[in-house]
Amino acid sequence: MAENDVREVGRVIETNDTEFCCHWAQTPEVELVKERHWYRLISDISHPYFNSIFHASISGDGLTNAIEEAVLPFRKRKLSVAWWLGPMSKTEGLGQALIDYGFEHVVSEAAMAICPFEADYERASEEVEIQAVTSAADLRMWVEIMTGVYDLPEFTQEPWFRILKRAGLGTRKKLQHFLALVDGEVAGVGSIFYGSQAAGIYNIAVLPPFRGQGVATTLTISLLSLIDERGYDLATLCASQKAKSLYHQIGFRAYGELNCYQWSPD
């Protein structure tokens, strides 16, 4: 693949991630502020997962002042914030400037994509059943599993449940959630976000007793099948370095990285 094509796929991956974050702002608990140099997602949930800066493009001069301006609303409300940088970032040195300001680099994820029909569907396990989340009870279970696997504080469960419930449930929504079951027990969860240029796979999480049984692989492949049925030519996801090889085996390729920096008020 030509270098320009690689950059374009990386741009589409980050665009889908941006649209996914913006989708949360359908609820009154989350405020989305789109500004010339960045987007800010602000909530009253005191955790950086729910407060973020992304889609940033800042002039190379005066980075410290720009960062201070971006962080100011979070500082005033004493909220921790996550700042995401991806393939679309046009500001050289912004990552180091964030660290110099007081941010901590906490994670680097592979920005991955695949043509859904090119996935290795034979890797799916017949022992894993995939069900769409269509009820409030299922959504609450989904949230409990996600917060547990991703080590989010328990106090985030109820507001996150309200946010996702308000965004809506159903097979025609832009954001859809799924449960993976093994022998009738819920083993893991995942989501699809149908964006303007691609469909993104998010929130793949498997409970510890069910790991190593093909749950994540089967869940991902099942979601790719649904994406293919919707007519999308590209599916995206962001994978931890540990999970990158799993998605590579399915057929995903990496097209850059998304890096997360976190800052907390004094």
Side-chain angles (χ1 to χ4, degrees), residues 102-167:
F103 279 78
E104 178 186 2
H105 181 244
V106 293
V107 69
S108 179
E109 297 184 342
M112 307 188 79
I114 189 175
C115 295
F117 55 84
E118 294 180 351
D120 185 358
Y121 285 89
E122 293 185 0
R123 299 187 70 85
S125 170
E126 295 182 357
E127 304 301 317
V128 182
E129 178 187 359
I130 308 302
Q131 291 183 359
V133 170
T134 57
S135 69
D138 285 347
L139 180 61
R140 193 172 292 280
M141 181 182 300
W142 186 100
V143 170
E144 289 176 357
I145 291 173
M146 272 296 299
T147 52
V149 172
Y150 282 85
D151 292 325
L152 294 175
E154 188 174 346
F155 70 78
T156 65
Q157 288 186 9
E158 190 59 32
W160 197 10
F161 169 78
R162 291 195 303 267
I163 289 169
L164 296 181
K165 184 180 179 184
R166 188 177 181 90

Side-chain angles (χ1 to χ4, degrees), residues 23-259:
H23 191 72
W24 284 24
Q26 293 185 81
T27 76
E29 293 187 74
V30 180
E31 176 188 3
L32 174 66
V33 182
K34 295 183 180 180
E35 297 175 304
R36 186 161 63 96
H37 295 302
W38 48 66
Y39 291 178
R40 286 187 287 212
L41 203 66
I42 307 174
S43 78
D44 290 325
I45 308 170
S46 185
H47 192 277
Y49 191 84
F50 303 92
N51 297 279
S52 58
I53 300 169
F54 53 97
H55 203 70
S57 178
I58 307 171
S59 169
D61 297 327
L63 282 180
T64 301
N65 290 337
I67 294 169
E68 175 65 31
E69 180 185 348
V71 168
L72 186 58
F74 302 96
R75 184 188 295 278
K76 287 181 175 179
R77 295 165 70 167
K78 298 183 179 180
L79 293 169
S80 299
V81 59
W83 192 313
W84 288 92
L85 295 181
M88 291 173 64
S89 176
K90 301 180 180 64
T91 306
E92 185 176 352
L94 179 53
Q96 184 59 51
L98 290 171
I99 291 173
D100 293 343
Y101 182 84
F103 279 78
E104 178 186 2
H105 181 244
V106 293
V107 69
S108 179
E109 297 184 342
M112 307 188 79
I114 189 175
C115 295
F117 55 84
E118 294 180 351
D120 185 358
Y121 285 89
E122 293 185 0
R123 299 187 70 85
S125 170
E126 295 182 357
E127 304 301 317
V128 182
E129 178 187 359
I130 308 302
Q131 291 183 359
V133 170
T134 57
S135 69
D138 285 347
L139 180 61
R140 193 172 292 280
M141 181 182 300
W142 186 100
V143 170
E144 289 176 357
I145 291 173
M146 272 296 299
T147 52
V149 172
Y150 282 85
D151 292 325
L152 294 175
E154 188 174 346
F155 70 78
T156 65
Q157 288 186 9
E158 190 59 32
W160 197 10
F161 169 78
R162 291 195 303 267
I163 289 169
L164 296 181
K165 184 180 179 184
R166 188 177 181 90
L169 303 174
T171 58
R172 303 309 298 176
K173 295 293 184 180
K174 292 185 70 173
L175 178 59
Q176 300 174 17
H177 312 288
F178 300 87
L179 302 174
L181 292 85
V182 175
D183 294 331
E185 287 190 67
V186 177
V189 299
S191 303
I192 300 174
F193 177 76
Y194 291 104
S196 62
Q197 301 175 53
I201 293 176
Y202 293 90
N203 305 322
I204 299 295
V206 178
L207 291 169
F210 298 96
R211 292 173 187 169
Q213 300 179 38
V215 176
T217 296
T218 305
L219 181 53
T220 303
I221 288 173
S222 298
L223 301 190
L224 286 173
S225 178
L226 294 174
I227 291 169
D228 189 31
E229 289 175 10
R230 287 280 288 263
Y232 279 81
D233 295 326
L234 192 70
T236 70
L237 60 76
C238 297
S240 67
Q241 296 304 315
K242 184 177 179 180
K244 183 178 176 181
S245 61
L246 180 151
Y247 296 115
H248 182 73
Q249 291 170 8
I250 293 172
F252 281 87
R253 286 187 56 190
Y255 294 88
E257 292 183 342
L258 269 77
N259 288 279

